[in-house]
Amino acid sequence: MAVSEIVKYGIIGVGMMGREHLINLHHLRCQGALLVSIADPHVPSQQLALELAQSFDSPLKVFSGHQELLDSGMCDVVVVSSPNMTHYQILMDILNHPKPHHVLVEKPLCTTVSHCRKVVNDARKRPDMLVQVGLEYRYMPPVAKLIEMVKGGTLGQVKMVAIREHRFPFLVKVNNWNRFNANTGGTLVEKCCHFFDLMRLFAGANPVRVMASGAMDVNHKDEIYDGKVPDIIDNAYVIIEFDNGTRGMIDLCMFAEGSKNEQEISVVGHTGKGEAFVPESIVRFGSRTDGRDGVQTLKVEDERIKYEGLHHGSSYLEHLNFLSAIREKGAKPPAVDLNDGLISVAMGVAAQLSIEKGRFISIEEVLDEH
């Protein structure tokens, strides 16, 4: 491949998700993606990333801080996969750096609405940079198929979207940063921004108000870090009303290891219903006129996926998509833009606030926070 076609990447934050990006980029080498550097202050994470890179015969320059990586001028693109509470400062430093870097930032964009807003505003001043938010559930093959059906009108006008995530507890992260709301933005920001994003896509509308009920009932109660007990909720129901009358619901449980599928997504329109199941990778759909006997089941695969990884190939497709947007040199916007990132965080913040206050929270209320 000609040198001019090579796109050089750096990863900021090489914990579990950063190393996942590293492996995805290795599988994208045939597309001209080349990982050249990483930055992480945590030496054990650096070591694990280096060992992975060596196993792929891929030399890496290692920096302890993101500023040094940016100043090195080595990268065209940076992937930000550091802990949630560090995203804001890192993004501001990237946006204010003289050298333009395209950015793929892990979800959630930031942990607060005001920080998201600041990033959105500052990014407007950098038309030379593309910023995509890592809401990669859109790319999971069965979910992508369901999105395609909805957009194609197969189900008619969408009226209800229900998303159930029944899964295992939060994994252990570096210094257990993900055990506290102050670091993550709260479970409904950290975990559910993916689903809020999908709901907006299915509804084709923006959220108006949010009502939630949730608590920390089972997980992490006997854990103590620096004298503090975790405060992240492990289960919740969230109801969202959209500006076109569509309603959404999230049913989250993080002590449900005994589930066949981790995610079950149901979209009901005025003429039909569709469902996606992950990780079974099945889509079911039927119409009101054909009834139960007419329901069809599809096994969905995407042959472009070279690496399944932790998210059923969706991170690979996300990278493929972003690389193509970079190559278009600004002719097309990133598939998941900063506004998508902002609204998905606002919905999570509203849900967390609703639990705290015991009432409906309007999206306007959280978007106006100062």
Side-chain angles (χ1 to χ4, degrees):
M1 177 163 287
V3 176
S4 64
E5 291 178 294
I6 298 282
V7 178
K8 293 178 179 167
Y9 284 74
I11 300 176
I12 298 170
V14 283
M16 188 188 80
M17 200 57 213
R19 296 194 296 275
E20 175 76 354
H21 284 296
L22 186 155
I23 302 169
N24 275 290
L25 288 170
H26 167 69
H27 286 281
L28 280 154
R29 284 208 291 200
C30 56
Q31 302 284 338
L34 181 66
L35 178 63
V36 294
S37 64
I38 59 167
D40 198 310
H42 188 66
V43 176
S45 294
Q46 286 180 15
Q47 288 305 123
L48 288 166
L50 267 178
E51 284 163 24
L52 256 184
Q54 280 157 3
S55 73
F56 298 141
D57 205 17
S58 177
L60 279 187
K61 178 91 173 130
V62 180
F63 298 97
S64 60
H66 67 277
Q67 198 66 53
E68 293 93 319
L69 183 146
L70 298 173
D71 291 343
S72 75
M74 293 176 73
C75 308
D76 308 307
V77 186
V78 285
V79 178
V80 178
S81 44
S82 54
N84 299 3
M85 68 285 186
T86 66
H87 288 188
Y88 173 65
Q89 193 54 58
I90 291 170
L91 287 169
M92 294 308 281
D93 290 343
I94 296 168
L95 291 170
N96 291 313
H97 200 275
K99 176 180 160 59
H101 295 85
H102 301 304
V103 188
L104 175 65
V105 55
E106 260 308 323
K107 61 83 201 161
L109 174 56
C110 298
T111 57
T112 69
V113 171
S114 54
H115 280 172
C116 288
R117 232 191 224 300
K118 187 87 175 73
V119 169
V120 170
N121 291 335
D122 278 37
R124 287 199 185 108
K125 301 169 197 160
R126 295 300 302 256
D128 52 346
M129 290 164 54
L130 288 179
V131 186
Q132 176 159 316
V133 183
L135 293 162
E136 84 280 340
Y137 275 52
R138 296 172 174 225
Y139 299 113
M140 285 188 185
V143 180
K145 183 69 184 169
L146 189 54
I147 291 168
E148 185 190 304
M149 282 181 171
V150 168
K151 299 288 178 212
T154 307
L155 313 177
Q157 200 180 347
V158 172
K159 297 295 180 188
M160 300 180 82
V161 182
I163 299 179
R164 170 182 286 165
E165 179 168 58
H166 280 195
R167 53 161 280 166
F168 46 88
F170 277 120
L171 299 170
V172 173
K173 298 283 177 94
V174 174
N175 297 330
N176 303 291
W177 67 267
N178 64 341
R179 294 301 194 253
F180 298 94
N181 289 328
N183 296 337
T184 65
T187 301
L188 299 176
V189 172
E190 152 67 17
K191 192 72 230 75
C192 296
C193 57
H194 278 306
F195 306 126
F196 294 134
D197 178 59
L198 289 180
M199 274 187 186
R200 277 183 71 224
L201 268 185
F202 288 128
N206 277 313
V208 179
R209 58 179 199 152
V210 177
M211 176 79 190
S213 169
M216 184 169 102
D217 289 327
V218 176
N219 300 337
H220 316 303
K221 290 184 147 193
D222 53 356
E223 299 172 16
I224 294 180
Y225 305 101
D226 297 328
K228 289 189 247 168
V229 177
D231 60 357
I232 43 169
I233 65 172
D234 58 17
N235 70 101
Y237 291 121
V238 184
I239 295 168
I240 296 107
E241 294 175 351
F242 289 87
D243 59 13
N244 65 352
T246 305
R247 262 182 289 279
M249 187 195 73
I250 284 177
D251 163 4
L252 174 74
C253 179
M254 299 191 69
F255 43 88
E257 290 92 333
S259 304
K260 186 169 178 66
N261 283 298
E262 201 172 304
Q263 286 96 21
E264 300 177 17
I265 299 170
S266 154
V267 181
V268 189
H270 79 296
T271 61
K273 174 182 171 179
E275 293 175 285
F277 299 92
V278 179
E280 269 187 307
S281 209
I282 281 172
V283 168
R284 280 203 197 104
F285 62 101
S287 69
R288 294 176 70 189
T289 46
D290 294 338
R292 187 176 293 158
D293 295 341
V295 173
Q296 297 177 58
T297 302
L298 296 177
K299 178 82 177 162
V300 189
E301 283 161 358
D302 190 320
E303 285 169 3
R304 294 173 300 166
I305 295 170
K306 301 272 187 292
Y307 171 64
E308 290 276 337
L310 301 174
H311 298 102
H312 318 293
S314 60
S315 296
Y316 180 86
L317 294 173
E318 169 182 62
H319 273 290
L320 200 59
N321 184 291
F322 190 45
L323 185 57
S324 110
I326 290 164
R327 292 224 162 100
E328 299 268 340
K329 299 198 180 346
K332 66 175 188 183
V336 191
D337 66 20
L338 285 169
N339 189 56
D340 296 321
L342 164 71
I343 303 292
S344 67
V345 168
M347 291 166 82
V349 167
Q352 291 281 144
L353 197 57
S354 174
I355 292 170
E356 195 188 307
K357 305 272 190 198
R359 63 171 173 84
F360 262 109
I361 303 289
S362 75
I363 289 294
E364 213 166 79
E365 199 176 325
V366 296
L367 286 178
D368 286 346
E369 87 169 5
H370 290 293

